[in-house]
Amino acid sequence: MMQLTEISGLARQVNEDWQSPIADTVAAPWGIAPGVARWWRSSASHVFVVPDTPKPDSALYLRFVPERYPAYGRFGTIAALMDRLHGRGLALTPPVRSAQGRLVETVETPLGTMRAMCLTEAPGEEVELEDLTEEQARAWGALLARTHDSAAGLGDGLGPALDGIAGAARLYSADAELAAAVAKVAAALAGLPRDPESYGVVHGDFELDNLAWQGATPTAFDFDEAAFSWYAADIAHALRDLTDDGRPDPARAGLLDSFLAGYREVRPLTGATPDELLLFAGANAARSLVELHPVLATLDEGRPDDLDKLRGDLAEHRDEQRAIVIAAAAAL
């Protein structure tokens, strides 16, 4: 995630109609007229929606990130992956090529150099967990399995997702309980096989809020976290809302079982017992803590008071991830 001061800096360039000269500059390579793009959100990147494009009642999404963030260097890799997955028939939102035929553009703006991509809108609507049916949960699992199958051999430029989690022990060294738990989880991962059946290119964030639905048919988007990892780790992350500190939530058992059944209809599933999913949930949480650290370290930098709620949400998220890591280590 970008630092809060970065987000606040962009927010100050947005007017009351959600327009921004920064977005206009970034949108130009796609032939998008000034004033059309509207600010949507900022987190891992800045996102602007381009309504009624390319036709009424549809939209494009313009995403861009400053040069000093790791996502800057990954944009080309992610866009190429999505383009190739779309070519293989996977149900996802494909990137749109610029007027120069490029998937990604590098643009100079008053806020610095930005790397940008433009994506089509996912058809359908988002479904909240409370409204999710078991039929949809099965389709959700099946689409993740198809994503894993379709991405085989397309990992050029991607790195391993979980190899750096031991770094959380150093970053949070003042928290002895957390540091010990991270070390224990990292040691457990080190002993796991990385064969093609269990390890490969993963989506990295296949939660419900990255799916759009037409009835029982989902379309995926937001491949920003794509990397190499265990497929079961991808499943554990996707199912976070169906678990409690990494353990299956009995109240959501039917949805979780349907998800796993849908996955198994497409490809074999190993490493998905409750204990194994808890281990991967702990590993994913440790990774989140590593990524959160530079953001948390600058929570008060520049005191962007307009982002107080986001500041509080991040601190709460840190505490939740800490609890998951400790729970996973306790089960080993």
PDB file of all heavy atoms in Angstrom, residues 1 4 172 178 240-241 245 285 288-289 292 295-296 299 307-325:
ATOM      1  N   MET A   1       0.838  -1.192   0.000  1.00  0.00           N
ATOM      2  CA  MET A   1       0.000   0.000   0.000  1.00  0.00           C
ATOM      3  C   MET A   1       0.875   1.246   0.000  1.00  0.00           C
ATOM      4  O   MET A   1       1.958   1.260   0.587  1.00  0.00           O
ATOM      5  CB  MET A   1      -0.892  -0.001   1.237  1.00  0.00           C
ATOM      6  CG  MET A   1      -1.774   1.219   1.342  1.00  0.00           C
ATOM      7  SD  MET A   1      -2.873   1.142   2.743  1.00  0.00           S
ATOM      8  CE  MET A   1      -3.580   2.790   2.659  1.00  0.00           C
ATOM      9  N   LEU A   4       0.304   7.105   3.460  1.00  0.00           N
ATOM     10  CA  LEU A   4      -0.860   7.976   3.580  1.00  0.00           C
ATOM     11  C   LEU A   4      -0.586   9.367   3.037  1.00  0.00           C
ATOM     12  O   LEU A   4      -1.486  10.011   2.492  1.00  0.00           O
ATOM     13  CB  LEU A   4      -1.303   8.055   5.038  1.00  0.00           C
ATOM     14  CG  LEU A   4      -1.727   6.734   5.702  1.00  0.00           C
ATOM     15  CD1 LEU A   4      -2.405   7.018   7.026  1.00  0.00           C
ATOM     16  CD2 LEU A   4      -2.635   5.914   4.812  1.00  0.00           C
ATOM     17  N   TYR A 172       9.277  -6.283  13.424  1.00  0.00           N
ATOM     18  CA  TYR A 172       8.473  -6.156  14.637  1.00  0.00           C
ATOM     19  C   TYR A 172       9.211  -6.782  15.822  1.00  0.00           C
ATOM     20  O   TYR A 172       8.618  -7.425  16.677  1.00  0.00           O
ATOM     21  CB  TYR A 172       7.108  -6.823  14.438  1.00  0.00           C
ATOM     22  CG  TYR A 172       6.268  -6.158  13.364  1.00  0.00           C
ATOM     23  CD1 TYR A 172       6.371  -6.549  12.035  1.00  0.00           C
ATOM     24  CD2 TYR A 172       5.389  -5.134  13.682  1.00  0.00           C
ATOM     25  CE1 TYR A 172       5.601  -5.947  11.043  1.00  0.00           C
ATOM     26  CE2 TYR A 172       4.616  -4.520  12.703  1.00  0.00           C
ATOM     27  CZ  TYR A 172       4.739  -4.930  11.388  1.00  0.00           C
ATOM     28  OH  TYR A 172       3.975  -4.315  10.414  1.00  0.00           O
ATOM     29  N   LEU A 178       5.173 -11.981  18.713  1.00  0.00           N
ATOM     30  CA  LEU A 178       4.986 -12.005  17.269  1.00  0.00           C
ATOM     31  C   LEU A 178       6.245 -12.494  16.569  1.00  0.00           C
ATOM     32  O   LEU A 178       6.175 -13.314  15.645  1.00  0.00           O
ATOM     33  CB  LEU A 178       4.603 -10.618  16.765  1.00  0.00           C
ATOM     34  CG  LEU A 178       4.487 -10.470  15.249  1.00  0.00           C
ATOM     35  CD1 LEU A 178       3.417 -11.398  14.690  1.00  0.00           C
ATOM     36  CD2 LEU A 178       4.205  -9.021  14.869  1.00  0.00           C
ATOM     37  N   ARG A 240     -10.604 -15.725   3.741  1.00  0.00           N
ATOM     38  CA  ARG A 240     -10.430 -15.036   5.028  1.00  0.00           C
ATOM     39  C   ARG A 240     -11.757 -14.682   5.693  1.00  0.00           C
ATOM     40  O   ARG A 240     -11.890 -14.772   6.909  1.00  0.00           O
ATOM     41  CB  ARG A 240      -9.579 -13.778   4.845  1.00  0.00           C
ATOM     42  CG  ARG A 240      -8.125 -14.068   4.561  1.00  0.00           C
ATOM     43  CD  ARG A 240      -7.254 -12.850   4.744  1.00  0.00           C
ATOM     44  NE  ARG A 240      -7.647 -11.736   3.876  1.00  0.00           N
ATOM     45  CZ  ARG A 240      -7.059 -10.547   3.886  1.00  0.00           C
ATOM     46  NH1 ARG A 240      -6.063 -10.315   4.741  1.00  0.00           N
ATOM     47  NH2 ARG A 240      -7.445  -9.590   3.078  1.00  0.00           N
ATOM     48  N   ASP A 241     -12.732 -14.289   4.892  1.00  0.00           N
ATOM     49  CA  ASP A 241     -14.017 -13.899   5.481  1.00  0.00           C
ATOM     50  C   ASP A 241     -14.840 -15.095   5.951  1.00  0.00           C
ATOM     51  O   ASP A 241     -15.874 -14.914   6.612  1.00  0.00           O
ATOM     52  CB  ASP A 241     -14.837 -13.087   4.476  1.00  0.00           C
ATOM     53  CG  ASP A 241     -14.294 -11.674   4.307  1.00  0.00           C
ATOM     54  OD1 ASP A 241     -13.530 -11.234   5.192  1.00  0.00           O
ATOM     55  OD2 ASP A 241     -14.624 -11.025   3.299  1.00  0.00           O
ATOM     56  N   ASP A 245      -9.705 -15.942  12.665  1.00  0.00           N
ATOM     57  CA  ASP A 245      -8.276 -16.078  12.966  1.00  0.00           C
ATOM     58  C   ASP A 245      -7.660 -17.281  12.261  1.00  0.00           C
ATOM     59  O   ASP A 245      -6.807 -17.989  12.798  1.00  0.00           O
ATOM     60  CB  ASP A 245      -8.035 -16.180  14.479  1.00  0.00           C
ATOM     61  CG  ASP A 245      -8.132 -14.832  15.172  1.00  0.00           C
ATOM     62  OD1 ASP A 245      -8.192 -13.805  14.472  1.00  0.00           O
ATOM     63  OD2 ASP A 245      -8.153 -14.804  16.424  1.00  0.00           O
ATOM     64  N   ALA A 285      -0.615 -13.635   6.627  1.00  0.00           N
ATOM     65  CA  ALA A 285      -0.705 -12.528   7.582  1.00  0.00           C
ATOM     66  C   ALA A 285       0.672 -11.941   7.864  1.00  0.00           C
ATOM     67  O   ALA A 285       0.834 -10.718   7.983  1.00  0.00           O
ATOM     68  CB  ALA A 285      -1.359 -13.003   8.877  1.00  0.00           C
ATOM     69  N   SER A 288       1.547  -9.715   5.094  1.00  0.00           N
ATOM     70  CA  SER A 288       0.834  -8.446   5.218  1.00  0.00           C
ATOM     71  C   SER A 288       1.529  -7.522   6.203  1.00  0.00           C
ATOM     72  O   SER A 288       1.622  -6.305   5.977  1.00  0.00           O
ATOM     73  CB  SER A 288      -0.614  -8.686   5.665  1.00  0.00           C
ATOM     74  OG  SER A 288      -1.361  -9.323   4.657  1.00  0.00           O
ATOM     75  N   LEU A 289       2.028  -8.094   7.286  1.00  0.00           N
ATOM     76  CA  LEU A 289       2.721  -7.277   8.278  1.00  0.00           C
ATOM     77  C   LEU A 289       4.006  -6.676   7.716  1.00  0.00           C
ATOM     78  O   LEU A 289       4.351  -5.529   8.024  1.00  0.00           O
ATOM     79  CB  LEU A 289       3.022  -8.106   9.522  1.00  0.00           C
ATOM     80  CG  LEU A 289       1.797  -8.468  10.383  1.00  0.00           C
ATOM     81  CD1 LEU A 289       2.183  -9.469  11.455  1.00  0.00           C
ATOM     82  CD2 LEU A 289       1.199  -7.215  11.007  1.00  0.00           C
ATOM     83  N   LEU A 292       2.882  -3.879   5.467  1.00  0.00           N
ATOM     84  CA  LEU A 292       2.290  -2.775   6.215  1.00  0.00           C
ATOM     85  C   LEU A 292       3.327  -1.919   6.929  1.00  0.00           C
ATOM     86  O   LEU A 292       3.079  -0.736   7.205  1.00  0.00           O
ATOM     87  CB  LEU A 292       1.310  -3.326   7.260  1.00  0.00           C
ATOM     88  CG  LEU A 292      -0.125  -3.592   6.845  1.00  0.00           C
ATOM     89  CD1 LEU A 292      -0.856  -4.301   7.964  1.00  0.00           C
ATOM     90  CD2 LEU A 292      -0.839  -2.283   6.499  1.00  0.00           C
ATOM     91  N   VAL A 295       4.199   1.609   5.806  1.00  0.00           N
ATOM     92  CA  VAL A 295       3.031   2.485   5.895  1.00  0.00           C
ATOM     93  C   VAL A 295       2.772   2.852   7.349  1.00  0.00           C
ATOM     94  O   VAL A 295       2.561   4.017   7.697  1.00  0.00           O
ATOM     95  CB  VAL A 295       1.793   1.804   5.273  1.00  0.00           C
ATOM     96  CG1 VAL A 295       0.575   2.726   5.357  1.00  0.00           C
ATOM     97  CG2 VAL A 295       2.065   1.415   3.833  1.00  0.00           C
ATOM     98  N   LEU A 296       2.800   1.851   8.213  1.00  0.00           N
ATOM     99  CA  LEU A 296       2.554   2.086   9.635  1.00  0.00           C
ATOM    100  C   LEU A 296       3.632   2.989  10.236  1.00  0.00           C
ATOM    101  O   LEU A 296       3.356   3.775  11.139  1.00  0.00           O
ATOM    102  CB  LEU A 296       2.520   0.753  10.381  1.00  0.00           C
ATOM    103  CG  LEU A 296       1.348  -0.168  10.031  1.00  0.00           C
ATOM    104  CD1 LEU A 296       1.584  -1.571  10.581  1.00  0.00           C
ATOM    105  CD2 LEU A 296       0.040   0.392  10.558  1.00  0.00           C
ATOM    106  N   LEU A 299       2.575   6.676   9.765  1.00  0.00           N
ATOM    107  CA  LEU A 299       1.156   6.994   9.955  1.00  0.00           C
ATOM    108  C   LEU A 299       0.923   8.466  10.261  1.00  0.00           C
ATOM    109  O   LEU A 299      -0.091   9.040   9.864  1.00  0.00           O
ATOM    110  CB  LEU A 299       0.574   6.146  11.096  1.00  0.00           C
ATOM    111  CG  LEU A 299       0.195   4.712  10.754  1.00  0.00           C
ATOM    112  CD1 LEU A 299      -0.335   4.003  11.987  1.00  0.00           C
ATOM    113  CD2 LEU A 299      -0.842   4.659   9.643  1.00  0.00           C
ATOM    114  N   LEU A 307      -7.252  11.649   6.451  1.00  0.00           N
ATOM    115  CA  LEU A 307      -7.157  10.198   6.313  1.00  0.00           C
ATOM    116  C   LEU A 307      -7.143   9.501   7.673  1.00  0.00           C
ATOM    117  O   LEU A 307      -6.621   8.413   7.813  1.00  0.00           O
ATOM    118  CB  LEU A 307      -5.901   9.830   5.522  1.00  0.00           C
ATOM    119  CG  LEU A 307      -5.887  10.332   4.064  1.00  0.00           C
ATOM    120  CD1 LEU A 307      -4.558  10.063   3.422  1.00  0.00           C
ATOM    121  CD2 LEU A 307      -7.006   9.697   3.262  1.00  0.00           C
ATOM    122  N   ASP A 308      -7.734  10.139   8.673  1.00  0.00           N
ATOM    123  CA  ASP A 308      -7.750   9.552  10.012  1.00  0.00           C
ATOM    124  C   ASP A 308      -8.417   8.190  10.027  1.00  0.00           C
ATOM    125  O   ASP A 308      -7.970   7.266  10.710  1.00  0.00           O
ATOM    126  CB  ASP A 308      -8.455  10.491  10.992  1.00  0.00           C
ATOM    127  CG  ASP A 308      -7.521  11.581  11.505  1.00  0.00           C
ATOM    128  OD1 ASP A 308      -6.297  11.441  11.313  1.00  0.00           O
ATOM    129  OD2 ASP A 308      -8.013  12.568  12.068  1.00  0.00           O
ATOM    130  N   LYS A 309      -9.522   8.041   9.287  1.00  0.00           N
ATOM    131  CA  LYS A 309     -10.235   6.751   9.291  1.00  0.00           C
ATOM    132  C   LYS A 309      -9.360   5.660   8.683  1.00  0.00           C
ATOM    133  O   LYS A 309      -9.275   4.553   9.222  1.00  0.00           O
ATOM    134  CB  LYS A 309     -11.542   6.845   8.527  1.00  0.00           C
ATOM    135  CG  LYS A 309     -12.347   5.536   8.559  1.00  0.00           C
ATOM    136  CD  LYS A 309     -13.634   5.650   7.785  1.00  0.00           C
ATOM    137  CE  LYS A 309     -14.461   4.358   7.932  1.00  0.00           C
ATOM    138  NZ  LYS A 309     -13.719   3.159   7.506  1.00  0.00           N
ATOM    139  N   LEU A 310      -8.702   5.969   7.579  1.00  0.00           N
ATOM    140  CA  LEU A 310      -7.824   4.976   6.958  1.00  0.00           C
ATOM    141  C   LEU A 310      -6.687   4.616   7.901  1.00  0.00           C
ATOM    142  O   LEU A 310      -6.306   3.451   8.017  1.00  0.00           O
ATOM    143  CB  LEU A 310      -7.277   5.522   5.640  1.00  0.00           C
ATOM    144  CG  LEU A 310      -6.336   4.592   4.857  1.00  0.00           C
ATOM    145  CD1 LEU A 310      -6.988   3.245   4.593  1.00  0.00           C
ATOM    146  CD2 LEU A 310      -5.905   5.255   3.556  1.00  0.00           C
ATOM    147  N   ARG A 311      -6.149   5.604   8.608  1.00  0.00           N
ATOM    148  CA  ARG A 311      -5.091   5.358   9.586  1.00  0.00           C
ATOM    149  C   ARG A 311      -5.566   4.362  10.642  1.00  0.00           C
ATOM    150  O   ARG A 311      -4.866   3.405  10.983  1.00  0.00           O
ATOM    151  CB  ARG A 311      -4.674   6.674  10.239  1.00  0.00           C
ATOM    152  CG  ARG A 311      -3.498   6.533  11.195  1.00  0.00           C
ATOM    153  CD  ARG A 311      -3.216   7.833  11.937  1.00  0.00           C
ATOM    154  NE  ARG A 311      -2.718   8.879  11.067  1.00  0.00           N
ATOM    155  CZ  ARG A 311      -3.422   9.954  10.674  1.00  0.00           C
ATOM    156  NH1 ARG A 311      -4.671  10.110  11.065  1.00  0.00           N
ATOM    157  NH2 ARG A 311      -2.868  10.868   9.910  1.00  0.00           N
ATOM    158  N   GLY A 312      -6.768   4.573  11.159  1.00  0.00           N
ATOM    159  CA  GLY A 312      -7.317   3.660  12.164  1.00  0.00           C
ATOM    160  C   GLY A 312      -7.573   2.277  11.607  1.00  0.00           C
ATOM    161  O   GLY A 312      -7.335   1.267  12.281  1.00  0.00           O
ATOM    162  N   ASP A 313      -8.063   2.207  10.360  1.00  0.00           N
ATOM    163  CA  ASP A 313      -8.323   0.906   9.725  1.00  0.00           C
ATOM    164  C   ASP A 313      -7.033   0.112   9.568  1.00  0.00           C
ATOM    165  O   ASP A 313      -7.013  -1.121   9.762  1.00  0.00           O
ATOM    166  CB  ASP A 313      -8.979   1.103   8.359  1.00  0.00           C
ATOM    167  CG  ASP A 313     -10.417   1.596   8.453  1.00  0.00           C
ATOM    168  OD1 ASP A 313     -11.001   1.514   9.555  1.00  0.00           O
ATOM    169  OD2 ASP A 313     -10.940   2.070   7.430  1.00  0.00           O
ATOM    170  N   LEU A 314      -5.956   0.781   9.225  1.00  0.00           N
ATOM    171  CA  LEU A 314      -4.680   0.092   9.044  1.00  0.00           C
ATOM    172  C   LEU A 314      -4.153  -0.459  10.364  1.00  0.00           C
ATOM    173  O   LEU A 314      -3.640  -1.584  10.418  1.00  0.00           O
ATOM    174  CB  LEU A 314      -3.654   1.046   8.434  1.00  0.00           C
ATOM    175  CG  LEU A 314      -3.831   1.373   6.957  1.00  0.00           C
ATOM    176  CD1 LEU A 314      -2.863   2.471   6.552  1.00  0.00           C
ATOM    177  CD2 LEU A 314      -3.641   0.148   6.098  1.00  0.00           C
ATOM    178  N   ALA A 315      -4.282   0.322  11.426  1.00  0.00           N
ATOM    179  CA  ALA A 315      -3.833  -0.158  12.733  1.00  0.00           C
ATOM    180  C   ALA A 315      -4.660  -1.363  13.170  1.00  0.00           C
ATOM    181  O   ALA A 315      -4.122  -2.336  13.731  1.00  0.00           O
ATOM    182  CB  ALA A 315      -3.940   0.965  13.757  1.00  0.00           C
ATOM    183  N   GLU A 316      -5.952  -1.326  12.895  1.00  0.00           N
ATOM    184  CA  GLU A 316      -6.808  -2.472  13.233  1.00  0.00           C
ATOM    185  C   GLU A 316      -6.422  -3.698  12.412  1.00  0.00           C
ATOM    186  O   GLU A 316      -6.369  -4.823  12.925  1.00  0.00           O
ATOM    187  CB  GLU A 316      -8.273  -2.113  12.985  1.00  0.00           C
ATOM    188  CG  GLU A 316      -9.253  -3.219  13.332  1.00  0.00           C
ATOM    189  CD  GLU A 316     -10.697  -2.828  13.082  1.00  0.00           C
ATOM    190  OE1 GLU A 316     -10.958  -1.669  12.704  1.00  0.00           O
ATOM    191  OE2 GLU A 316     -11.587  -3.690  13.261  1.00  0.00           O
ATOM    192  N   HIS A 317      -6.139  -3.483  11.139  1.00  0.00           N
ATOM    193  CA  HIS A 317      -5.726  -4.587  10.270  1.00  0.00           C
ATOM    194  C   HIS A 317      -4.420  -5.203  10.757  1.00  0.00           C
ATOM    195  O   HIS A 317      -4.276  -6.434  10.771  1.00  0.00           O
ATOM    196  CB  HIS A 317      -5.575  -4.077   8.837  1.00  0.00           C
ATOM    197  CG  HIS A 317      -5.190  -5.131   7.853  1.00  0.00           C
ATOM    198  ND1 HIS A 317      -5.956  -6.239   7.581  1.00  0.00           N
ATOM    199  CD2 HIS A 317      -4.076  -5.258   7.067  1.00  0.00           C
ATOM    200  CE1 HIS A 317      -5.361  -6.997   6.681  1.00  0.00           C
ATOM    201  NE2 HIS A 317      -4.222  -6.427   6.362  1.00  0.00           N
ATOM    202  N   ARG A 318      -3.483  -4.368  11.182  1.00  0.00           N
ATOM    203  CA  ARG A 318      -2.218  -4.873  11.734  1.00  0.00           C
ATOM    204  C   ARG A 318      -2.483  -5.798  12.925  1.00  0.00           C
ATOM    205  O   ARG A 318      -1.901  -6.888  13.018  1.00  0.00           O
ATOM    206  CB  ARG A 318      -1.351  -3.704  12.176  1.00  0.00           C
ATOM    207  CG  ARG A 318      -0.092  -4.099  12.952  1.00  0.00           C
ATOM    208  CD  ARG A 318       0.440  -2.917  13.749  1.00  0.00           C
ATOM    209  NE  ARG A 318      -0.569  -2.414  14.682  1.00  0.00           N
ATOM    210  CZ  ARG A 318      -0.592  -1.163  15.149  1.00  0.00           C
ATOM    211  NH1 ARG A 318       0.316  -0.287  14.787  1.00  0.00           N
ATOM    212  NH2 ARG A 318      -1.538  -0.794  15.992  1.00  0.00           N
ATOM    213  N   ASP A 319      -3.362  -5.391  13.800  1.00  0.00           N
ATOM    214  CA  ASP A 319      -3.648  -6.197  14.991  1.00  0.00           C
ATOM    215  C   ASP A 319      -4.315  -7.514  14.620  1.00  0.00           C
ATOM    216  O   ASP A 319      -4.043  -8.559  15.229  1.00  0.00           O
ATOM    217  CB  ASP A 319      -4.528  -5.402  15.955  1.00  0.00           C
ATOM    218  CG  ASP A 319      -3.813  -4.179  16.526  1.00  0.00           C
ATOM    219  OD1 ASP A 319      -2.578  -4.140  16.455  1.00  0.00           O
ATOM    220  OD2 ASP A 319      -4.511  -3.272  17.024  1.00  0.00           O
ATOM    221  N   GLU A 320      -5.172  -7.483  13.603  1.00  0.00           N
ATOM    222  CA  GLU A 320      -5.829  -8.719  13.147  1.00  0.00           C
ATOM    223  C   GLU A 320      -4.811  -9.681  12.565  1.00  0.00           C
ATOM    224  O   GLU A 320      -4.861 -10.898  12.822  1.00  0.00           O
ATOM    225  CB  GLU A 320      -6.901  -8.374  12.113  1.00  0.00           C
ATOM    226  CG  GLU A 320      -8.113  -7.649  12.682  1.00  0.00           C
ATOM    227  CD  GLU A 320      -9.033  -7.138  11.596  1.00  0.00           C
ATOM    228  OE1 GLU A 320      -8.621  -7.171  10.407  1.00  0.00           O
ATOM    229  OE2 GLU A 320     -10.151  -6.702  11.915  1.00  0.00           O
ATOM    230  N   GLN A 321      -3.875  -9.170  11.765  1.00  0.00           N
ATOM    231  CA  GLN A 321      -2.857 -10.036  11.166  1.00  0.00           C
ATOM    232  C   GLN A 321      -1.937 -10.615  12.227  1.00  0.00           C
ATOM    233  O   GLN A 321      -1.518 -11.771  12.144  1.00  0.00           O
ATOM    234  CB  GLN A 321      -2.053  -9.244  10.132  1.00  0.00           C
ATOM    235  CG  GLN A 321      -2.872  -8.685   8.981  1.00  0.00           C
ATOM    236  CD  GLN A 321      -3.794  -9.708   8.363  1.00  0.00           C
ATOM    237  OE1 GLN A 321      -3.353 -10.694   7.782  1.00  0.00           O
ATOM    238  NE2 GLN A 321      -5.100  -9.502   8.495  1.00  0.00           N
ATOM    239  N   ARG A 322      -1.627  -9.839  13.224  1.00  0.00           N
ATOM    240  CA  ARG A 322      -0.808 -10.333  14.321  1.00  0.00           C
ATOM    241  C   ARG A 322      -1.478 -11.520  15.004  1.00  0.00           C
ATOM    242  O   ARG A 322      -0.834 -12.544  15.294  1.00  0.00           O
ATOM    243  CB  ARG A 322      -0.569  -9.218  15.346  1.00  0.00           C
ATOM    244  CG  ARG A 322       0.239  -9.646  16.568  1.00  0.00           C
ATOM    245  CD  ARG A 322       0.320  -8.521  17.601  1.00  0.00           C
ATOM    246  NE  ARG A 322       1.191  -8.880  18.719  1.00  0.00           N
ATOM    247  CZ  ARG A 322       0.803  -9.614  19.761  1.00  0.00           C
ATOM    248  NH1 ARG A 322      -0.447 -10.056  19.834  1.00  0.00           N
ATOM    249  NH2 ARG A 322       1.671  -9.905  20.732  1.00  0.00           N
ATOM    250  N   ALA A 323      -2.774 -11.409  15.253  1.00  0.00           N
ATOM    251  CA  ALA A 323      -3.509 -12.495  15.932  1.00  0.00           C
ATOM    252  C   ALA A 323      -3.504 -13.765  15.095  1.00  0.00           C
ATOM    253  O   ALA A 323      -3.386 -14.875  15.631  1.00  0.00           O
ATOM    254  CB  ALA A 323      -4.949 -12.042  16.219  1.00  0.00           C
ATOM    255  N   ILE A 324      -3.589 -13.629  13.782  1.00  0.00           N
ATOM    256  CA  ILE A 324      -3.608 -14.804  12.903  1.00  0.00           C
ATOM    257  C   ILE A 324      -2.246 -15.498  12.908  1.00  0.00           C
ATOM    258  O   ILE A 324      -2.157 -16.731  12.969  1.00  0.00           O
ATOM    259  CB  ILE A 324      -4.008 -14.407  11.468  1.00  0.00           C
ATOM    260  CG1 ILE A 324      -5.472 -13.939  11.443  1.00  0.00           C
ATOM    261  CG2 ILE A 324      -3.819 -15.575  10.514  1.00  0.00           C
ATOM    262  CD1 ILE A 324      -5.894 -13.327  10.136  1.00  0.00           C
ATOM    263  N   VAL A 325      -1.171 -14.729  12.854  1.00  0.00           N
ATOM    264  CA  VAL A 325       0.164 -15.325  12.890  1.00  0.00           C
ATOM    265  C   VAL A 325       0.369 -16.096  14.175  1.00  0.00           C
ATOM    266  O   VAL A 325       0.865 -17.250  14.185  1.00  0.00           O
ATOM    267  CB  VAL A 325       1.259 -14.242  12.742  1.00  0.00           C
ATOM    268  CG1 VAL A 325       2.650 -14.865  12.919  1.00  0.00           C
ATOM    269  CG2 VAL A 325       1.151 -13.550  11.395  1.00  0.00           C
TER     270      VAL A 325
END
